[in-house]
Amino acid sequence: MDKRIGVLGTMQAAAKKALFLRTYSSQVSLFSTDDSDVECALRTQLTVAGIKLARQPLRVDKRNERIVVLCEGGESHLMDLLYPALGCDVRSQLATNLGAKCTEIGTLEVDAHQQTTVEGIYAVGDVVTDLHQLTVATGHAAVAATNIHNRLPANFRS
């Protein structure tokens, strides 16, 4: 809360995360790694939210407990934390090859116990959601592990 937050990634990905992180701090800066122009509506949305659009980042350094982002034109930004919004490639091919259903973006469809549409195949983390957070994956894993444990024959449980 109320820390200097930098968001690093492509304009489209970083803007979405920066707007979300703005709810936690009034000091959010966006460091776009691509040269894409910001569409007018998105630029307005970022400006109204008070998100600073920095020049393209060239280097990231650590200084004591802070992060320094060096940008084109010699700009230097001191951040308390840097949030990478670099995305991920969903790797669900093994499960889909076995018959599991997936969404248009490739994430696997799972039930409330993290089981895919194929009996006995479970999935957690980025392969089922594009939230990209370790704590989400850890929670998914706990749910899946509990369900797998509960389905084991009694003589296998400890």
Side-chain angles (χ1 to χ4, degrees), residues 18 21 47 53-54 58 71-72 75 99-100 112-113 134 137-138 145:
L21 291 169
T47 301
L53 294 175
L58 300 174
C71 298
E72 289 180 342
E75 282 184 12
H113 302 288
L134 290 173
T138 302

Side-chain angles (χ1 to χ4, degrees), residues 138-154:
T138 302
H140 288 169
V143 168
T146 300
N147 192 55
I148 293 166
H149 175 79
N150 290 339
R151 293 180 59 180
L152 290 172

Side-chain angles (χ1 to χ4, degrees), residues 94-136:
L94 176 61
T96 57
N97 287 345
L98 294 171
K101 292 182 183 174
C102 66
T103 66
E104 288 181 15
I105 62 170
T107 55
L108 295 169
E109 295 179 13
V110 294
D111 64 15
H113 302 288
Q114 298 303 128
Q115 184 172 248
T116 68
T117 55
V118 175
E119 181 76 21
I121 298 178
Y122 292 78
V124 303
D126 291 350
V127 77
V128 298
T129 180
D130 69 347
L131 197 50
H132 310 305
Q133 294 183 0
L134 290 173
T135 54
V136 171

Side-chain angles (χ1 to χ4, degrees), residues 32-96:
S32 177
T33 58
D34 59 3
D35 291 328
S36 67
D37 288 330
V38 183
E39 63 184 66
C40 188
L42 181 57
R43 180 179 293 279
T44 300
Q45 193 175 9
L46 293 166
T47 301
V48 167
I51 296 169
K52 180 178 180 171
L53 294 175
R55 295 180 118 171
Q56 191 164 14
L58 300 174
R59 184 173 156 171
V60 176
D61 290 322
K62 187 172 182 187
R63 184 181 301 155
N64 298 322
E65 298 298 315
R66 304 283 192 262
I67 298 162
V68 178
V69 181
L70 303 170
C71 298
E72 289 180 342
E75 282 184 12
S76 177
H77 302 269
L78 189 62
M79 301 282 112
D80 294 306
L81 58 104
L82 186 63
Y83 187 100
L86 302 173
C88 77
D89 294 324
V90 178
R91 304 210 188 273
S92 57
Q93 294 82 6
L94 176 61
T96 57

